[in-house]
Amino acid sequence: MDFYEEDIARKYMTLVEALKCLPGVMPNKSKKLIDNALKINVIPGSLEIADFYYRVGETDLLQEEYEEIHIELESFYGTTIKISPQGAKVLMKLYRNGDLVMYKGKCITEAPELQAYIDRDGYFKEETDRIKREDERRKYLIKNPDEIKESDFSYSLLDDVFYHKFGAFRGHKTMILDGIKVNKSVFVYQSNSGKTHDSEVIISWTDSTGEGHELCKPSFYSENRRNDPNRNWGLPE
């Protein structure tokens, strides 16, 4: 999955949220059914796989259908399962086929909330195309800094432009972009243990109207005692 596709996928519904849009469905038990959809056929007498498929209830899904219904995204908090609008179409099919786990006495009916999400498919496709175009332009500008305009200035673009020209560095570097002198300063700070480090990056310039600008990525460790002369650089007194 490309980064821009992942960026859009993070805006998708989670699988559990989508299941909650289906009247009468037990969301957690149905999610478990979908999580365990992969079925593997092994060649008798060996460990080789003959084939594999995905089955939810009595319905077999194509791999591309399952990949839309069960999108795994990693984050600091663990793995989250998302579902695209196309995947929501598949989920609606499973619902209408009676393949999901239902509460006792509940029946299959209309699901307007999930249908509304399915109808947003065009929006997500447009957003994916937009982010892809912006990424392609960004990559082009990094390699062709002479074409960067003042209106393009952002921390991520300028940081990457400096990295492309100078590589990783400590201290100060300057570039002229769209006739403007842009400065990048890198200060490296250590953790209290001294085993790891992290940089503070400051990018600054004065724009065409004379107004100063400063973009900063702080260091995780800049406030640590090891980096504070007033606390003897973290050394024992």
Side-chain angles (χ1 to χ4, degrees):
M1 183 185 295
D2 292 315
F3 97 89
Y4 47 86
E5 293 173 324
E6 181 175 330
D7 189 51
I8 291 297
R10 293 192 181 279
K11 300 177 182 179
Y12 288 161
M13 272 188 173
T14 66
L15 178 54
V16 169
E17 288 170 341
L19 287 164
K20 287 180 178 179
C21 292
L22 297 171
V25 165
M26 300 179 74
N28 293 328
K29 288 190 175 181
S30 294
K31 178 182 179 296
K32 187 174 181 180
L33 194 68
I34 294 169
D35 288 342
N36 298 325
L38 178 61
K39 310 296 180 184
I40 298 175
N41 288 330
V42 178
I43 297 174
S46 78
L47 296 177
E48 293 185 32
I49 297 174
D51 62 13
F52 68 91
Y53 59 100
Y54 298 91
R55 174 170 290 175
V56 179
E58 298 301 318
T59 300
D60 289 341
L61 300 179
L62 300 173
Q63 183 173 350
E64 51 265 34
E65 289 181 308
Y66 188 76
E67 288 174 352
E68 294 291 335
I69 204 174
H70 199 272
I71 302 169
E72 296 187 13
L73 293 180
E74 299 298 330
S75 73
F76 176 79
Y77 301 100
T79 303
T80 302
I81 306 302
K82 297 277 191 168
I83 180 172
S84 72
Q86 286 294 316
K89 275 186 176 181
V90 178
L91 189 64
M92 188 78 86
K93 176 176 72 173
L94 296 173
Y95 177 59
R96 290 171 176 162
N97 287 352
D99 293 310
L100 302 176
V101 184
M102 304 287 290
Y103 287 104
K104 187 175 181 179
K106 297 295 183 178
C107 60
I108 297 165
T109 183
E110 296 301 312
E113 288 185 69
L114 191 64
Q115 186 59 53
Y117 180 61
I118 292 170
D119 294 341
R120 296 192 70 203
D121 187 45
Y123 162 77
F124 285 113
K125 286 180 178 177
E126 289 176 1
E127 280 294 284
T128 300
D129 290 341
R130 178 185 64 79
I131 294 173
K132 182 179 180 180
R133 288 194 302 270
E134 289 178 356
D135 181 54
E136 288 172 347
R137 172 169 167 74
R138 183 170 170 277
K139 289 177 179 176
Y140 175 80
L141 291 177
I142 289 170
K143 294 180 180 179
N144 299 274
D146 290 345
E147 297 191 33
I148 293 176
K149 300 300 180 185
E150 184 180 347
S151 58
D152 294 317
F153 286 10
S154 68
Y155 176 85
S156 60
L157 175 63
L158 295 174
D159 187 48
D160 285 344
V161 167
F162 272 88
Y163 184 84
H164 186 263
K165 182 174 177 63
F166 300 110
F169 68 88
R170 301 184 183 189
H172 310 276
K173 299 288 185 182
T174 299
M175 292 182 69
I176 304 298
L177 301 172
D178 197 18
I180 296 171
K181 182 179 178 181
V182 181
N183 305 293
K184 178 179 177 181
S185 301
V186 181
F187 308 94
V188 178
Y189 294 95
Q190 291 184 311
S191 64
N192 285 330
S193 69
K195 294 180 179 179
T196 59
H197 64 271
D198 183 54
S199 298
E200 177 180 270
V201 180
I202 299 173
I203 298 174
S204 59
W205 71 94
T206 300
D207 68 22
S208 54
T209 68
E211 182 180 353
H213 297 266
E214 184 174 283
L215 304 174
C216 179
K217 182 205 73 80
S219 168
F220 293 125
Y221 306 129
S222 59
E223 301 299 322
N224 284 8
R225 65 180 185 275
R226 188 182 181 94
N227 304 298
D228 188 351
N230 294 324
R231 289 183 285 176
N232 197 32
W233 307 107
L235 298 173
E237 296 293 341

